[in-house]
């Protein structure tokens, strides 16, 4: 079990959450000026890292809030959690561990 | 004379089985190869085998980080079928199925290919309509398909839940009689021996650490066993494609996810076919040792860990129990996880890459095992001729940029939904 520290509900098992996906993809700012290459990158291309990965989970069986999670894809260890807009990778060194490995 | 035959078995029995030739050599890597294939799983070994056999390229190395066949080739549920609807998939998997039908003879190695039939169950009128359409499409592509009604399914598979209490009553099913199962390890071993006998070097415990590039070409591979030069290079590393591509600064329309599979304690013969649930994700067959081999959905989150999690075990098993209630007291003997290269449209990417002499064989999602010989066959053609075969021409990397997705399920660009 992966345990995720929801900012509103506290530490919960991951079966309460729905996995949304990679949190780092930025939607092109404006359809009027965005290029096809930008859309291709946003919709299809992923970093797919082996190691720390920033991702969005939704607490569908709790508060229904979106939660940003920094998780190691090689060990399933949750390194940090925060609000969707937080950049957890930048803060990772200063944050204490908020979850535990499965 | 064939290396393995009744006669050779008898001769070696008389001499105490001391004279069997090693199935494949354990060579030191040479300085330079015409073709390097990264990954000695089924796809990598099949690619090397067909490059040597069909295209006359013999100076080939297959590099393997761990041991041969230790990745997804040894971690799947061994199902072989070609019941696809879209053109690009149908012809690839059908080519593969035709190669499966000859593979034991071709390799002189019993891969235990058993065409016991694959049946997908339908649980509503709408699903029956969809299966009728799929079956008709398959038959128009020259692939066998039979639509079964409830009575026919019941005659073939009486152990399914036909009671009034069934949460998802069975309306019928779509059967591909030529589908079935194969012995997954034997496929890797047979292809390895076949490739080795044609001069291919299979180099195990040899991890790719980096690449040497000149212009838009890869000139050498840096490995844990030294630098190895190459004219052409192909990746057949399944879930680890993204990791290797990152070393080249290349990003792909792929996410790596973990898929679990299970084997129960051995039973007397119960399930003599492959059968899949139509109201959830569950597929099961019975191995020759008696264990039920089954699986379901991926764990849904990105993962490179070759182990899964408990909520998905419960999810898979509850789908199985809805389909076959008599499994309820059965114990699970083993379970394991493999890393799937989930592509953005659920179909494989097999062809050229943005780098001139690099070829990609990836994005197989759940479906790689059945494609093993076909994938190797078209990948060998692609590498030898520097252009795809007609069969894999539509499965290019650039189809995502051009809006030509091959999305069998119509699930959109969500890799964990395929």
């Amino acid at each position: 079990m992966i345990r995720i520290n929801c900012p509103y509900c506290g530490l919960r098992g991951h079966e309460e959450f729905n996995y949304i996906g990679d949190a780092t993809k930025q939607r092109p700012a404006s359809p009027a000026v965005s290029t096809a290459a930008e859309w291709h990158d946003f919709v299809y291309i992923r970093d797919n890292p082996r190691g720390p990965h920033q991702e969005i989970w939704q607490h569908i069986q709790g508060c229904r809030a979106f939660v940003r999670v920094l998780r190691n894809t090689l060990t399933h260890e949750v390194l940090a959690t925060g609000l969707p807009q937080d950049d957890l990778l930048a803060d990772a060194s200063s944050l204490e561990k908020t979850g535990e490995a499965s | 004379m064939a290396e393995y035959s009744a006669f050779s078995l008898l001769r070696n029995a008389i001499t105490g089985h001391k004279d069997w030739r090693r199935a494949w050599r354990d060579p030191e890597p040479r300085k330079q190869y015409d073709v390097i294939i990264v990954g000695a799983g089924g796809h990598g070994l099949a690619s090397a085998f067909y490059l040597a056999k069909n295209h006359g390229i013999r100076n080939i190395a297959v590099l393997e980080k761990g041991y041969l066949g230790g990745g997804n080739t040894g971690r799947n549920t061994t199902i072989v079928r070609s019941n696809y609807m879209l053109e690009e998939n149908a012809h690839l998997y059908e080519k593969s199925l035709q190669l499966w039908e000859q593979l034991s003879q071709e390799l002189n190695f019993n891969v235990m290919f058993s065409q016991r039939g694959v049946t997908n169950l339908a649980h509503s009128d709408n699903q029956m309509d969809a299966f009728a359409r799929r079956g008709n499409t398959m038959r128009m592509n020259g692939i066998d398909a039979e639509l079964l009604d409830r009575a026919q399914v019941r005659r073939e598979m009486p152990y399914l839940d036909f009671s009034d209490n069934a949460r998802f009553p069975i309306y019928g099913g779509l059967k591909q009689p030529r589908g079935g199962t194969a012995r997954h390890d034997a496929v890797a071993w047979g292809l390895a021996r076949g490739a080795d006998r044609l001069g291919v070097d299979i180099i195990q415990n040899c991890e790719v650490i980096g690449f040497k590039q000149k212009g838009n070409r890869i000139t050498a591979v840096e490995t844990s066993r030294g630098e190895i030069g190459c004219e052409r290079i192909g990746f057949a590393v399944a879930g680890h494609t993204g990791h290797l591509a990152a070393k080249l600064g290349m990003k792909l329309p792929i996410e790596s996810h973990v898929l679990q599979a299970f084997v129960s304690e051995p039973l007397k013969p119960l399930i003599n076919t492959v059968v899949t649930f139509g109201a959830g994700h569950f597929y099961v067959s019975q191995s020759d040792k008696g264990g039920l081999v089954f699986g379901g959905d991926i764990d849904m989150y990105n993962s490179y860990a070759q182990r899964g999690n408990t909520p998905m075990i419960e999810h898979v098993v509850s789908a199985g129990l809805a389909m076959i209630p008599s499994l309820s007291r059965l114990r699970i003997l083993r379970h394991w996880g493999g890393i799937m290269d989930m592509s953005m449209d659920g179909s494989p990417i097999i062809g050229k890459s943005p780098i001139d002499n690099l070829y990609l064989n990836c994005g197989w999602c759940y479906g790689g095992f059945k494609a093993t010989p076909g994938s190797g066959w078209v990948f060998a053609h692609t590498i030898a001729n520097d252009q795809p075969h007609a069969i894999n021409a539509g499965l290019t990397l650039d189809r995502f940029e051009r809006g030509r997705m091959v999305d069998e399920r119509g699930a959109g660009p969500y890799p964990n939904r395929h």
Side-chain angles (χ1 to χ4, degrees):
Chain A
M1 185 79 76
I2 298 169
R3 298 219 285 163
I4 295 169
N5 193 14
C6 171
Y8 303 101
C9 310
L11 205 57
R12 300 294 180 94
H14 84 277
E15 84 280 20
E16 290 187 13
F17 293 80
N18 187 29
Y19 183 70
I20 305 293
D22 191 331
T24 63
K25 301 310 287 189
Q26 293 287 331
R27 190 182 175 85
S30 156
V33 294
S34 302
T35 63
E38 284 170 346
W39 282 108
H40 171 246
D41 180 78
F42 170 67
V43 177
Y44 298 111
I45 300 299
R46 296 290 178 267
D47 288 345
N48 194 24
R50 189 164 91 176
H53 182 237
Q54 293 200 76
E55 54 204 24
I56 300 289
W57 294 70
Q58 188 184 9
H59 197 186
I60 49 166
Q61 290 180 38
C63 60
R64 300 197 62 81
F66 291 95
V67 181
R68 186 182 277 234
V69 177
L70 179 68
R71 189 179 56 92
N72 187 333
T73 59
L74 197 55
T75 62
H76 296 167
E77 182 184 13
V78 174
L79 304 168
T81 52
L83 301 173
Q85 65 272 23
D86 297 342
D87 184 0
L88 300 175
L89 207 53
D91 307 335
S93 49
S94 61
L95 277 174
E96 59 178 349
K97 272 201 325 192
T98 53
E100 61 188 47
S102 59
Chain B
M1 190 189 70
E3 197 171 333
Y4 295 163
S5 65
F7 180 73
S8 71
L9 189 62
L10 187 65
R11 193 187 58 208
N12 280 285
I14 291 166
T15 57
H17 293 293
K18 282 179 288 194
D19 300 326
W20 286 108
R21 199 173 152 198
R22 208 185 149 131
W24 53 83
R25 296 163 297 128
D26 183 23
E28 280 300 313
R30 279 180 240 158
K31 285 270 172 287
Q32 175 81 23
Y33 287 94
D34 292 343
V35 178
I36 286 180
I37 304 284
V38 185
H43 288 227
L45 292 167
S47 305
F49 175 71
Y50 287 115
L51 268 170
K53 185 168 182 240
N54 296 352
H55 304 283
I57 300 172
R58 300 292 171 96
N59 187 21
I60 303 172
V62 184
L63 308 184
E64 169 57 47
K65 176 176 72 172
Y67 61 94
L68 184 157
N72 293 347
T73 303
R75 291 167 187 268
N76 53 74
T77 46
T78 78
I79 298 167
V80 176
R81 57 186 174 85
S82 64
N83 52 358
Y84 286 80
M85 196 159 72
L86 299 181
E87 286 283 306
E88 292 83 351
N89 285 327
H91 298 299
L92 173 67
Y93 289 108
E94 177 56 21
K95 172 71 191 173
S96 193
L97 185 53
Q98 288 170 11
L99 290 168
W100 275 110
E101 288 172 329
Q102 310 294 329
L103 202 61
S104 290
Q105 294 298 323
E106 188 172 14
L107 297 174
N108 176 227
F109 200 106
N110 187 2
V111 300
M112 295 166 71
F113 183 47
S114 160
Q115 292 181 292
R116 57 186 69 182
V118 174
T119 300
N120 307 125
L121 298 177
H123 307 273
S124 66
D125 282 330
N126 306 27
Q127 214 167 2
M128 283 299 281
D129 289 347
F131 278 1
R133 177 175 176 235
R134 173 179 292 264
N136 287 337
T137 311
M138 286 166 61
R139 290 171 80 127
M140 287 169 78
N141 277 326
I143 302 167
D144 60 321
E146 288 175 21
L147 195 63
L148 308 180
D149 63 22
R150 180 178 162 95
Q152 287 169 303
V153 172
R154 187 167 197 168
R155 204 156 45 240
E156 290 191 19
M157 290 166 258
Y159 48 82
L160 299 173
D161 191 353
F162 288 98
S163 73
D164 294 336
N165 298 328
R167 171 69 182 81
F168 299 102
I170 294 164
Y171 278 58
L174 184 64
K175 180 181 182 184
Q176 185 183 21
R178 284 163 64 242
T181 60
R183 171 86 202 280
H184 52 2
D185 294 325
V187 177
W189 298 336
L191 285 166
R193 193 184 61 133
D196 180 89
R197 294 293 181 265
L198 293 169
V200 173
D201 282 357
I202 299 164
I203 301 163
Q204 303 180 71
N205 297 311
C206 182
E207 182 175 2
V208 171
I209 296 163
F211 301 93
K212 283 220 162 135
Q213 287 174 269
K214 195 172 175 186
N216 195 28
R217 296 178 69 80
I218 296 171
T219 55
V221 182
E222 294 161 12
T223 76
S224 55
R225 297 179 65 173
E227 188 179 308
I228 307 172
C230 63
E231 289 294 320
R232 293 171 189 194
I233 177 166
F235 288 173
V237 295
H240 298 280
T241 310
H243 181 64
L244 272 192
K247 293 178 190 295
L248 292 160
M250 200 158 73
K251 292 180 182 177
L252 298 170
I254 285 177
E255 282 184 4
S256 296
H257 286 258
V258 60
L259 174 65
Q260 304 187 66
F262 311 84
V263 173
S264 77
E265 58 188 326
L267 292 178
K268 293 210 171 171
L270 169 71
I271 298 176
N272 62 353
T273 177
V274 180
V275 57
T276 76
F277 195 36
H281 207 173
F282 183 81
Y283 35 93
V284 61
S285 65
Q286 189 165 17
S287 80
D288 295 336
K289 287 187 284 187
L292 300 187
V293 184
F294 59 94
D297 277 317
I298 53 175
D299 270 29
M300 293 293 168
Y301 48 81
N302 288 47
S303 174
Y304 281 91
Q306 285 177 318
R307 60 178 184 280
N309 242 307
T310 44
M312 189 48 71
I313 298 177
E314 189 176 358
H315 178 80
V316 170
V317 169
S318 47
L321 290 185
M323 189 169 102
I324 312 174
S326 59
L327 303 185
S328 65
R329 281 178 294 164
L330 205 57
R331 281 166 292 197
I332 292 176
L333 196 64
R334 295 186 290 125
H335 89 287
W336 61 91
I339 303 306
M340 308 292 111
D341 32 343
M342 303 300 296
S343 68
M344 284 288 175
D345 62 358
S347 295
I349 297 161
I350 179 161
K352 299 177 73 165
S353 80
I355 295 173
D356 288 344
N357 62 343
L358 170 67
Y359 305 86
L360 293 176
N361 178 342
C362 59
W364 288 97
C365 302
Y366 295 52
F369 178 72
K370 61 180 158 319
T372 301
S375 154
W377 196 89
V378 297
F379 198 43
H381 180 100
T382 306
I383 294 173
N385 298 294
D386 192 34
Q387 60 180 14
H389 189 274
I391 292 175
N392 63 321
L395 296 170
T396 56
L397 179 62
D398 68 359
R399 68 176 184 264
F400 298 94
E401 285 168 65
R402 297 188 300 131
R404 298 181 66 90
M405 266 61 74
V406 185
D407 190 342
E408 193 86 21
R409 285 187 65 182
Y414 304 97
N416 54 359
R417 301 288 169 208
H418 289 288

